[in-house]
Amino acid sequence: MPRLFPSFPYADRMFDPEGPSLRELAVQALSSVEHGYDLLAPKFDRTPFRTPDAVLDAVASALARRGPFASGLDLCCGTGAGAAVLGRVCRSRITGVDFSAGMLDVARRRVRCDGPPAGWVRADARALPFTAAFDLVVSFGAFGHFLPRELPGLFAQVHRVLRPGGCFAFPVVAPPRPGSPGYWALLGFDAVMRLRNAVWRPPFVMYYRAFRLGEVRRELARAGFRVELEALPGFGRRGDGSPRVRLVVARR
Ligand SMILES: C[S@@+](CC[C@H](N)C(=O)[O-])C[C@H]1O[C@@H](n2cnc3c(N)ncnc32)[C@H](O)[C@@H]1O
């Protein structure tokens, strides 16, 4: 079973020796989200922030049972991790959207997809420059960059760019048990980010504790989606029997 430390959100993977130094990470964290990712882009795939292949594989297998889909969008695509998923389940075209030009440059150079043609678009997820052109929208590891009050607008954007019947799908890791090492690590990380944002401009929003399944389901329903949850069995269950990782599938 793949190990998962449900925080950043996949921080069980240690930093690679070829990954960013602490100093580089600190400089990134003192920038805006957009510019911070521009700086991190060349080494991003060597950090625990890139979604692990085990998660991508599990999501692709779950979506393959619901597909195939024609046109797919990876929201906040970064260096293109989600292209591996869209390439397996989409038949006509895949698109990655992100507001960091640096991350998109890496995606353009690194992603080689045997499936449908891929395109990369620089845009803010809160103002997507598309019409209702997609049958599937996926997103990985990026919701911590949105404040809870931004979720209604974000979900409305996704709803707008999906064709009727299209799906918005993303994995959600269960929060760590209160008192566990993961709980304290996440709490500490959140506290550091809030302190940093209280004293430094521009802000760097990265609050993974704020993205809660109950609220997410409510906001998706409010945006007009029908929401289903599917356990991703490869990641096991918590002590109380609930799945450690679920796939949220919201249908327009
Ligand atoms: C942790 S990375 C995840 C990248 C990729 N999805 C993955 O799983 O490896 C978060 C990405 O979200 C992007 N991002 C954050 N806020 C965004 C926004 N408002 N609009 C577009 N992209 C955004 C960042 O530029 C970054 O590439």
Side-chain angles (χ1 to χ4, degrees), residues 55 89 160 195 228 250:
V55 175
V89 301
R160 187 177 60 72
L195 181 65
E228 288 169 30

Short mmCIF file of all heavy atoms in Angstrom, two decimals, residues 55 89 160 195 228 250:
data_model
loop_
_atom_site.label_atom_id
_atom_site.label_comp_id
_atom_site.label_asym_id
_atom_site.label_seq_id
_atom_site.Cartn_x
_atom_site.Cartn_y
_atom_site.Cartn_z
N VAL A 55 -1.20 8.01 -6.63
CA VAL A 55 -2.50 8.70 -6.59
C VAL A 55 -3.03 8.89 -8.01
O VAL A 55 -4.21 8.63 -8.29
CB VAL A 55 -2.37 10.06 -5.86
CG1 VAL A 55 -3.67 10.84 -5.92
CG2 VAL A 55 -1.93 9.84 -4.42
N VAL A 89 -7.75 8.54 -20.07
CA VAL A 89 -9.22 8.44 -20.09
C VAL A 89 -9.89 9.37 -21.10
O VAL A 89 -11.10 9.27 -21.29
CB VAL A 89 -9.83 8.67 -18.67
CG1 VAL A 89 -9.29 7.67 -17.67
CG2 VAL A 89 -9.58 10.08 -18.18
N ARG A 160 -19.13 25.96 -15.29
CA ARG A 160 -19.36 26.70 -16.54
C ARG A 160 -18.59 26.11 -17.71
O ARG A 160 -19.06 26.14 -18.85
CB ARG A 160 -18.94 28.17 -16.32
CG ARG A 160 -19.26 29.11 -17.45
CD ARG A 160 -18.87 30.54 -17.11
NE ARG A 160 -17.46 30.71 -16.83
CZ ARG A 160 -16.49 30.66 -17.74
NH1 ARG A 160 -16.77 30.45 -19.00
NH2 ARG A 160 -15.24 30.84 -17.38
N LEU A 195 0.87 32.99 10.15
CA LEU A 195 1.77 34.00 10.72
C LEU A 195 2.50 34.74 9.60
O LEU A 195 2.56 35.97 9.57
CB LEU A 195 2.76 33.30 11.66
CG LEU A 195 3.75 34.22 12.36
CD1 LEU A 195 3.01 35.15 13.32
CD2 LEU A 195 4.79 33.40 13.14
N GLU A 228 -20.78 12.47 -6.04
CA GLU A 228 -20.59 11.09 -5.58
C GLU A 228 -19.18 10.97 -5.01
O GLU A 228 -18.27 11.67 -5.46
CB GLU A 228 -20.67 10.11 -6.75
CG GLU A 228 -22.04 9.91 -7.31
CD GLU A 228 -21.95 9.12 -8.63
OE1 GLU A 228 -21.03 8.30 -8.79
OE2 GLU A 228 -22.81 9.38 -9.48
N ALA A 250 -18.02 15.02 -9.21
CA ALA A 250 -19.14 15.96 -9.22
C ALA A 250 -19.61 16.08 -10.67
O ALA A 250 -18.83 16.45 -11.54
CB ALA A 250 -18.69 17.31 -8.69
#
